[in-house]
Amino acid sequence: MSVYTRITRSQLDFFFDHYSLGTVIGFEGITNGIDNTNYFVETTQGSFVLTLFETLNIDELSHFIKLLTYLTNYHIPCLATTR
């Protein structure tokens, strides 16, 4: 099971309000996985996967930030990182 942290619709709406990804239409926990909580999220602008890292510390997170930066630089759709 990969839904370790349950989120509510209001929490998800609050989170998505900070990005230009549309209004949340629906969401569902993804039950496959090992370490992280994952949700499929459907908005008025498309479908997304939301991952909540459950066990990473700040040093381990830098790998994923670098990956998102790389994907963004090559125009692969993902959340862009900003500093």
Side-chain angles (χ1 to χ4, degrees):
M1 174 170 169
S2 67
V3 178
Y4 302 104
T5 300
R6 302 260 177 224
I7 58 174
T8 65
R9 175 62 183 260
S10 60
Q11 289 171 319
L12 196 60
D13 288 339
F14 179 79
F15 178 79
F16 271 77
D17 283 347
H18 292 85
Y19 300 94
S20 299
L21 299 173
T23 303
V24 174
I25 297 170
F27 68 103
E28 179 180 354
I30 301 172
T31 57
N32 296 330
I34 298 170
D35 268 345
N36 303 315
T37 294
N38 297 286
Y39 286 91
F40 287 122
V41 181
E42 185 75 27
T43 76
T44 53
Q45 291 188 12
S47 299
F48 303 90
V49 174
L50 173 66
T51 298
L52 305 174
F53 295 105
E54 299 288 350
T55 60
L56 295 182
N57 64 43
I58 193 71
D59 295 326
E60 296 168 315
L61 193 57
S62 67
H63 165 75
F64 293 97
I65 292 171
K66 288 177 187 175
L67 175 61
L68 289 173
T69 300
Y70 176 86
L71 295 173
T72 300
N73 289 340
Y74 285 91
H75 308 288
I76 296 171
C78 66
L79 289 178
T81 59
T82 59
R83 291 186 182 227

